[in-house]
Amino acid sequence: MSHLVVASLDEAPHVLHLRTPTTDNASAYGAFGFMLARLPQKYLGSPTGILQGITAMLRQDAGGRDVVIVVDNPVGMDDMSTGVLMNILITGTARIIAIAPHVGDLPADFHWLVQDGRLSEVTLETLTQQQTGELLSAMLGHRLTKALTSNLHAMTGGNPLLLESIVTEQRQRGNLVLVNSVWTLRGDVVLEGGHGLEEIVRSRWSRETREAKEVIEMLACARRVPLAVLASVYNAKTLADMEESGLLRVDDCAERWISLRLQYMSDIVRGWLTVPRRRKLREKLLEHNEPALADMTAEDLMVYAAWAHDCQVELDPAHALAAARASVRLFDPVFAIKCAESIRRSDAEWAGGQREKAAAYILLSDSKQALAAVEDVSDEQLDALPINELAAYTGVRCAAMRGVAGQSGLVPHVLDAARERLERLGKDTESEEHGRAVRRLDLEEFVHAAHTGEYMRVMERLEMAAADCTVPHLSHSIHSSIILIEAYAMTGREMDALRLSEATAQRIAEAPSPGAFWEHYRLRAFCATLAAGHWRSCLRILASGPAATPSELQYRGAVLELAIGMAKLFAGRGPEALESLLPAAAQLEHRPVMNLLPLAYAATAFAYAQIGDSTNAYKYLSLEGADGWAGGFVTNWAREFCTNMARRWLGEPDARERLVSAAKEDIAQQRYAVAGINLVGATVNGRDEDFLLMEQVAARRQGSLARMSSLMAKGSLGHSSRLMMEAADLAARLELDAMEARCVALALDYARLASDQTTSRLAQARLDRLSELVVELPVVPQGNAPLLTERERQIARLAGRGVSNRDIARDIGVSVRTVEGHLYQVFAKLSVSSRRDLLGLI
């Protein structure tokens, strides 16, 4: 900021930058310490001498130019340094630019200068979230995760000075780390008052009245309080003055929630307070009364529970359970576990607490711990549950089992046992309550069928449930519709899936509580839309619904970035995909979510393969296969597809067979969409039998992607340049750059074979344009070049990029002698003698 002001001056001045020491006890003349070391001894005998010496040195260093002193964050500046600055300004020796978060943070003497007109206050606009990200990139270099940018922007309010302080502190604490060229947070940002932040707070604190200080303490502990409640304890004028001075924020809602405007102030002040002081403040506000659960929102519950934990006060079991449930819902699994662990085994809430604890562990991708939590509930405790709670417990138990290897197959037995228990316990229960519990178990069965990819087994029941729009069944109907979107898409009914997706989104928007559906909807609608080839629409789906809060992005951010990267990856845009996939992988390494880390590794390997970076592609392939894990059908399929396609692009011969084998398994389960996608990947330089199979599968699918794969199969079988150009046109409409390039390259080959000069010229011009968009063409026109085997092509591609024989042998798992033999055959077939010549030919 200061350099812009300095640059605006008519002549280049002599600029002196002063930084206030960040120690608690600033020494006299601390800001000018570097100048004191240069002063002759004759000036050091008195304050007047030091003042004269510094003034003389400034003039000497300036050499006749104007002097501008820039003071970064003068909060906590010692009195002697302040006195020197005052004298310099009053005598006209220099002009001063002082940068502070707020005018109230300046030293007291500076206020006199402002009031006297010797200093002018210039309020700078705070940064937007995008600008915060740009500044962070300039400060740190490398890529940033969205969660990092969102979190730091929320904490600083877009103030660049605070941003610099927090970044410095988090880096020194080891919480802000660089992972594979991506900056990410390892955990929540906890401020410890270092690097100038505590000085800012203490300076502001020292100028407040006694009552205002207690209000700050109260809100630091309570986080937020209804204005009416706080006004019943403190003077309304004090609160109004604090709001006007920028200390407090009052939300524009019915409750008029009041909180400290800056989160860093809340964190630092709370750190000052002892546990007895926190308890005293809590008693003053609550007067030993527990708030009624019915009157509390999810955010209220979390704030109330956090305050109790800060005070080391035991939560009532009912409040602990409700707070744990709210924490799971708002994506704070660590705090959910803390709340649930305060519930005793003898409490009636034990089973519910274990359920919420398990749900939190599932968010953390720790399914073993989740399963252990739900299984630590006795039959007697289960029988004591209301039937709707029993159904919810069963749902979480099934989710935990699906994440543990070898347990997923037992889920149907757990559902059967739950239905039997439900019938036994629900004989004397109101029929509607029993019906809701039954529908909850039915929904869990639908979820499990989607998890295992057995869509056809429940298709008819799913359609019936989705069509039931009666008010009592509304939630069940919408959730069933969301699963049905995925079922339609995976089984080849892509257009039906897209139509249902639009209708379901409208139903969610009109529902009384839409927030309960959006996350479920976005994930399945995204998968369905991507299977149809509409990757641009995928990005719009991800942006739909309520925006994620910074705390939610700590866990959801990786999923969001992975999804964005997958959409661009399927479009053949490897470089763009990496901008999201690398941050996703970095976040997932520190905060595992939904067992998605292996998929992130596989997708990143595929993206690197698309751009011809075999070294990084093999690096991420080795990471992808390093961990055993349990995932659902869609994530398993996507992981295996990305892995096989990465190896396909790298030229490994076995990749085609794995893709064809996977496609045949999908055909047996009537999952025609994913079978078709696998076959499109398998048929790069494919065989006639694979093209025939791809054509048959395309006939069982809907939409442009199905039509494109059909044209590709027929065009390849008949060597038809016309059909391949039609397929290329469809790919262009879907903006699938790599697919368009593949079709055009084959059209060019077929046109040359048929001596079709017109099509040949059109295809060549189009391929030239696409070569600028697609870093590594999936198919290179063969012309009259001799046909290479898959292994020869793989080795030639790597050799052409400068990879040594030894590294090629290590990467693809063969001996160096084998690599040398294949290169001999390649050189002979292509009539070249240099590895440099291979890059343009292969």
Side-chain angles (χ1 to χ4, degrees):
M1 295 180 292
S2 58
H3 74 276
L4 296 176
V5 179
V6 172
S8 68
L9 300 176
D10 294 336
E11 297 182 6
H14 173 67
V15 181
L16 178 68
H17 285 270
L18 299 184
R19 291 187 177 272
T20 305
T22 58
T23 56
D24 290 337
N25 299 311
S27 59
Y29 301 105
F32 291 93
F34 66 99
M35 296 187 74
L36 292 181
R38 294 171 54 201
L39 282 182
Q41 189 66 35
K42 66 179 180 177
Y43 290 114
L44 298 176
S46 68
T48 302
I50 290 174
L51 178 60
Q52 291 173 347
I54 290 175
T55 303
M57 186 178 293
L58 276 174
R59 289 175 175 152
Q60 179 182 340
D61 291 346
R65 292 178 293 163
D66 288 340
V67 179
V68 175
I69 298 178
V70 178
V71 187
D72 285 337
N73 192 15
V75 178
M77 178 177 287
D78 65 277
D79 292 340
M80 302 307 287
S81 295
T82 303
V84 172
L85 281 174
M86 294 278 288
N87 185 270
I88 286 173
L89 182 62
I90 292 170
T91 59
T93 303
R95 286 176 280 182
I96 295 176
I97 301 172
I99 304 170
H102 190 276
V103 69
D105 296 318
L106 293 170
D109 288 340
F110 278 60
H111 287 282
W112 176 79
L113 294 174
V114 173
Q115 292 171 4
D116 196 47
R118 294 178 182 272
L119 280 179
S120 298
E121 180 185 355
V122 179
T123 303
L124 300 177
E125 293 293 329
T126 55
L127 303 176
T128 65
Q129 183 163 316
Q130 180 179 348
Q131 290 169 331
T132 297
E134 292 169 357
L135 180 56
L136 283 169
S137 295
M139 290 168 59
L140 298 170
H142 303 288
R143 297 178 176 88
L144 311 168
T145 64
K146 292 183 185 297
L148 170 63
T149 302
S150 173
N151 203 323
L152 294 186
H153 178 73
M155 291 195 71
T156 62
N159 186 309
L161 192 62
L162 297 179
L163 185 68
E164 181 182 14
S165 295
I166 292 175
V167 166
T168 302
E169 177 174 326
Q170 295 304 301
R171 286 186 69 178
Q172 293 202 1
R173 285 187 60 229
N175 190 37
L176 179 57
V177 293
L178 187 64
V179 181
N180 292 324
S181 298
V182 178
W183 287 104
T184 186
L185 291 168
R186 299 183 65 176
D188 296 331
V189 175
V190 178
L191 300 179
E192 297 179 346
H195 307 288
L197 287 177
E198 185 161 358
E199 286 80 1
I200 293 172
V201 174
R202 287 194 181 278
S203 174
R204 188 67 184 270
W205 172 271
S206 66
R207 296 192 296 275
E208 299 300 329
T209 66
R210 182 175 180 178
E211 186 175 49
K213 289 177 180 178
E214 186 167 304
V215 171
I216 293 172
E217 289 180 337
M218 180 69 78
L219 290 174
C221 293
R223 276 74 167 184
R224 65 175 196 160
V225 177
L227 178 57
V229 175
L230 201 64
S232 69
V233 180
Y234 300 104
N235 188 288
K237 184 179 185 307
T238 299
L239 300 179
D241 291 343
M242 293 176 73
E243 181 185 7
E244 186 177 349
S245 67
L247 271 172
L248 304 183
R249 176 194 292 115
V250 181
D251 289 345
D252 187 16
C253 62
E255 292 81 4
R256 303 284 288 168
W257 290 100
I258 190 166
S259 59
L260 291 176
R261 181 171 295 278
L262 296 172
Q263 182 183 330
Y264 74 85
M265 177 177 281
S266 178
D267 292 345
I268 290 172
V269 171
R270 190 164 57 249
W272 295 347
L273 303 178
T274 63
V275 171
R277 178 59 177 163
R278 295 175 186 176
R279 287 179 179 171
K280 185 175 180 180
L281 291 166
R282 187 173 187 271
E283 290 166 6
K284 184 171 184 175
L285 190 69
L286 299 178
E287 297 180 344
H288 302 285
N289 295 320
E290 293 277 4
L293 282 174
D295 299 332
M296 301 176 76
T297 65
E299 291 83 359
D300 301 340
L301 285 162
M302 290 183 66
V303 166
Y304 177 73
W307 196 2
H309 282 292
D310 288 343
C311 297
Q312 298 178 17
V313 172
E314 188 172 322
L315 270 175
D316 171 80
H319 283 81
L321 174 57
R325 184 179 296 121
S327 301
V328 169
R329 179 177 151 197
L330 297 179
F331 284 85
D332 193 345
V334 174
F335 190 63
I337 293 168
K338 182 186 290 187
C339 293
E341 285 179 341
S342 69
I343 301 172
R344 297 185 180 90
R345 189 180 297 274
S346 57
D347 292 330
E349 292 80 8
W350 172 259
Q354 294 301 99
R355 181 190 70 217
E356 298 307 329
K357 188 190 295 185
Y361 277 124
I362 289 170
L363 283 178
L364 294 170
S365 289
D366 193 342
S367 295
K368 290 183 178 179
Q369 286 272 47
L371 189 56
V374 287
E375 289 183 342
D376 192 15
V377 179
S378 67
D379 287 343
E380 292 76 12
Q381 288 169 324
L382 288 179
D383 288 342
L385 288 175
I387 57 175
N388 61 321
E389 292 289 318
L390 174 64
Y393 166 88
T394 303
V396 173
R397 182 176 183 181
C398 291
M401 294 175 71
R402 282 192 287 269
V404 178
Q407 292 290 313
S408 183
L410 302 176
V411 167
H413 302 294
V414 171
L415 287 172
D416 289 343
R419 287 191 173 99
E420 291 176 6
R421 188 184 295 269
L422 199 62
E423 287 301 317
R424 188 175 73 251
L425 298 176
K427 289 179 180 178
D428 302 323
T429 308
E430 182 185 349
S431 59
E432 181 51 39
E433 183 182 353
H434 185 267
R436 282 197 300 272
V438 170
R439 289 192 294 275
R440 178 68 180 82
L441 294 181
D442 287 345
L443 185 64
E444 190 56 42
E445 185 179 353
F446 299 156
V447 169
H448 187 68
H451 178 85
T452 57
E454 299 173 284
Y455 300 104
M456 296 307 299
R457 180 172 63 81
V458 295
M459 185 72 78
E460 187 175 342
R461 291 170 59 204
L462 258 179
E463 290 175 328
M464 290 176 60
D468 186 353
C469 298
T470 56
V471 174
H473 301 173
L474 178 62
S475 176
H476 182 67
S477 174
I478 292 177
H479 278 300
S480 298
S481 295
I482 292 169
I483 299 171
L484 186 59
I485 292 169
E486 181 184 309
Y488 277 162
M490 297 299 110
T491 56
R493 297 172 62 177
E494 292 100 315
M495 298 311 295
D496 290 341
L498 295 182
R499 285 189 287 269
L500 181 59
S501 178
E502 290 183 10
T504 304
Q506 185 62 35
R507 291 180 67 190
I508 292 172
E510 296 170 355
S513 301
F517 302 107
W518 275 118
E519 195 62 29
H520 188 198
Y521 167 78
R522 272 191 287 240
L523 288 175
R524 295 193 188 271
F526 171 86
C527 295
T529 306
L530 191 58
H534 297 257
W535 69 276
R536 289 279 188 194
S537 296
C538 287
L539 300 182
R540 288 192 287 272
I541 288 171
L542 295 175
S544 66
T549 64
S551 60
E552 289 174 326
L553 276 178
Q554 287 291 88
Y555 293 91
R556 284 176 47 190
V559 181
L560 175 64
E561 299 217 51
L562 176 58
I564 293 171
M566 291 290 292
K568 294 177 179 179
L569 180 64
F570 272 55
R573 303 187 175 198
E576 292 179 38
L578 284 170
E579 292 303 313
S580 296
L581 292 174
L582 287 169
Q587 289 175 87
L588 289 168
E589 286 180 5
H590 290 293
R591 289 178 180 262
V593 179
M594 297 167 61
N595 287 324
L596 290 174
L597 181 57
L599 172 56
Y601 286 150
T604 304
F606 185 11
Y608 272 122
Q610 279 188 350
I611 65 175
D613 187 340
S614 60
T615 301
N616 274 312
Y618 277 114
K619 169 188 169 182
Y620 279 93
L621 284 173
S622 66
L623 292 171
E624 177 272 332
D627 242 346
W629 68 301
F633 166 73
V634 171
T635 50
N636 276 341
W637 172 79
R639 176 198 184 196
E640 291 170 5
F641 176 76
C642 288
T643 298
N644 289 330
M645 286 304 297
R647 296 187 182 281
R648 190 82 171 108
W649 276 69
L650 293 168
E652 292 190 10
D654 297 340
R656 172 171 59 191
E657 297 306 324
R658 287 194 293 270
L659 285 163
V660 172
S661 177
K664 290 178 178 178
E665 290 180 19
D666 290 325
I667 292 169
Q669 293 292 330
Q670 301 181 52
R671 298 187 295 251
Y672 297 114
V674 290
I677 294 171
N678 276 325
L679 287 170
V680 168
T683 51
V684 179
N685 302 314
R687 303 166 300 196
D688 285 355
E689 63 195 77
D690 299 332
F691 286 122
L692 287 169
L693 185 59
M694 187 164 84
E695 185 180 3
Q696 293 167 10
V697 170
R700 294 178 173 271
R701 299 173 59 197
Q702 300 172 344
S704 299
L705 203 60
R707 172 65 177 158
M708 183 187 73
S709 60
S710 177
L711 288 170
M712 289 171 62
K714 292 176 181 178
S716 297
L717 287 168
H719 289 190
S720 169
S721 60
R722 178 183 62 81
L723 292 179
M724 296 309 300
M725 290 296 276
E726 285 185 33
D729 291 340
L730 280 173
R733 285 199 284 274
L734 292 171
E735 296 183 79
L736 301 176
D737 297 341
M739 291 303 302
E740 182 186 359
R742 169 181 167 180
C743 294
V744 172
L746 291 173
L748 178 57
D749 271 345
Y750 298 153
R752 285 172 175 170
L753 286 172
S755 299
D756 182 350
Q757 299 300 322
T758 301
T759 303
S760 179
R761 285 194 300 272
L762 290 172
Q764 184 64 66
R766 190 164 173 178
L767 192 62
D768 290 342
R769 176 183 60 81
L770 287 165
S771 296
E772 298 177 0
L773 299 175
V774 181
V775 177
E776 181 86 359
L777 292 175
V779 173
V780 178
Q782 295 297 308
N784 297 319
L787 186 64
L788 302 180
T789 67
E790 289 278 8
R791 183 65 85 187
E792 288 170 350
R793 179 177 295 276
Q794 178 191 20
I795 291 173
R797 284 161 68 98
L798 294 172
R801 296 189 195 106
V803 183
S804 69
N805 289 358
R806 184 177 298 278
D807 288 342
I808 293 173
R810 184 198 64 225
D811 285 346
I812 68 175
V814 299
S815 68
V816 174
R817 186 177 295 277
T818 299
V819 172
E820 292 170 347
H822 281 302
L823 280 177
Y824 176 82
Q825 293 295 328
V826 169
F827 287 165
K829 288 182 179 181
L830 300 182
S831 300
V832 298
S833 58
S834 168
R835 299 165 80 97
R836 291 192 302 272
D837 298 329
L838 295 175
L839 188 58
L841 295 174
I842 304 302

